[in-house]
Every structure is written in structure tokens, then in C-alpha cells.
Amino acid sequence: MNNNSKIILDLAVTLDGFIEGANGEIDWCIMDPEMNFNAFSNQIDAIIYGRKSYDLWGTFQPHADDNINGDQLMWDNIHSKRKYVFTRQHIPDQTTTEFINNPDIIKAVEQIKLAHTKDIWLYGGSSIITSFIDNNLIDEYRLSIHPVVLGSGKPLFENMSQRLNLSLLKTHTYQSGVVQLIYGKGK
């Protein structure tokens, strides 16, 4: 396996641990230029999605009115990456997207890592995140904690089969109130 590429879980999460609201809303997510998402985007050359997350974001384009903060450039950068979608459905591959329904997630991730020299962003729902955690496939956790409490929604960590110990690598605090915690695999 390519030791240079890392699988990085990079997600926004509420203070009470949700990745989306009860109705799928993410309007609480702050896109603060100070967070420099483009630096992270330039660090990766592939994105792993669950199918539902891909359906929502894999080909998303902002409305012209939303391009005030350069969203189109950000989305163009994201869409320039190779995409891998883990799904139980048989969907034909597309130009830059491969649909994977291989039940051997470890072997599939090994093959993905071998195909890339940069890091790989794991951006999926809690189901695929849980599968990656259960199989010890995440090298780095970059969680951007947003200053909001939703009370209900889709939790980041769900149906965990074992305890997960992590080591804090870095923290970043932004003027918006977002605190980014970067963890590596625990000892």
C-alpha cells in the first residue's frame, strides 16, 4: 500500500456531534475564508463518498447568486478530483467517478491508495465513515466543530462496534468560532 497517501476524514460537525440537521440541512456550516479550504483541496487528488453523499454533493454546482465568495472556484477544484463512490448498487463508472460495490472494503481502499500520490478525502455519510473506522482505514480526522447545537440530526459517529482512541495532532481556532481538531490514529 502507498504509505504516502492518507485517508483523511474532513467534515464539519456541530458542537453536539451532528453532520447534518434532522431534515438534512447544513445551513449551519460556516464557509470561512480564514479556514483556507483550498489548501486542503490542493492536498488531495481523490475523494471517497458514500452513494447518498455523492448524490447530494458529487456533482453539485452552486447557483450563480451564491458565487460571492468564490464558491464556483472551490467546486471546480473539488470536481477536478478522482471520485470513488462506495455503493451496493451497480452503477456504471463515469469519466472521473468510479462506483465500487466490492464488499472487501479493505482491498478496495488499498487499490485506491495505490493509484494516488496525494491524500484522499473521505467525505461520506455516517454509514461509510463507520465502515472505515471499523476497518481502521482512516489515517487522519479533521473535524471542524461549528458553534451551533442542533439538538437532533445525523450523528457523525453512529453504530460504532468498538472504541476509537485518537491522538491530537493540531488545533486551529478561527474568528468565526469554528475550532478545527486534527487527530491521528491513537496508540
Side-chain angles (χ1 to χ4, degrees):
M1 190 181 309
N2 181 352
N3 291 328
N4 296 328
S5 294
K6 294 184 293 192
I7 301 291
I8 299 174
L9 173 65
D10 183 90
L11 282 178
V13 62
T14 65
L15 190 58
D16 54 346
F18 296 108
I19 56 176
E20 60 184 50
N23 298 309
E25 64 273 13
I26 59 165
D27 57 343
W28 50 268
C29 188
I30 299 167
M31 288 301 294
D32 184 337
E34 182 187 11
M35 295 169 66
N36 197 4
F37 181 78
N38 285 331
F40 172 71
S41 184
N42 291 331
Q43 175 185 338
I44 64 168
D45 63 359
I47 304 170
I48 295 174
Y49 291 93
R51 191 202 41 83
K52 291 177 187 173
S53 294
Y54 176 79
D55 288 350
L56 286 171
W57 302 110
T59 59
F60 176 81
Q61 290 296 329
H63 298 291
D65 297 344
D66 296 337
N67 200 28
I68 297 166
N69 296 320
D71 285 355
Q72 187 62 55
L73 290 175
M74 179 189 76
W75 284 104
D76 288 347
N77 192 352
I78 289 170
H79 293 317
S80 72
K81 313 299 179 185
R82 180 79 181 151
K83 298 173 185 169
Y84 299 91
V85 182
F86 282 79
T87 178
R88 289 183 182 90
Q89 299 175 349
H90 292 280
I91 302 171
D93 292 343
Q94 299 170 3
T95 306
T96 61
T97 304
E98 182 178 334
F99 294 89
I100 300 170
N101 52 24
N102 181 349
D104 188 347
I105 190 170
I106 295 171
K107 186 169 184 71
V109 170
E110 285 175 357
Q111 291 172 340
I112 292 169
K113 287 180 86 170
L114 285 171
H116 294 279
T117 56
K118 290 185 173 184
D119 293 331
I120 301 158
W121 180 17
L122 172 59
Y123 183 89
S126 60
S127 177
I128 191 168
I129 291 168
T130 300
S131 294
F132 271 64
I133 290 170
D134 287 346
N135 287 286
N136 197 29
L137 295 172
I138 301 173
D139 300 299
E140 187 174 288
Y141 295 76
R142 297 170 54 108
L143 304 177
S144 296
I145 312 303
H146 286 62
V148 63
V149 175
L150 295 180
S152 65
K154 187 70 159 179
L156 170 58
F157 299 110
E158 191 171 54
N159 301 318
M160 300 284 296
S161 65
Q162 59 192 350
R163 181 187 354 212
L164 176 63
N165 294 314
L166 302 172
S167 297
L168 182 64
L169 302 175
K170 293 179 195 169
T171 62
H172 301 282
T173 304
Y174 301 102
Q175 290 180 3
S176 62
V178 172
V179 176
Q180 185 181 61
L181 305 171
I182 301 176
Y183 292 97
K185 291 182 180 183
K187 298 181 188 221

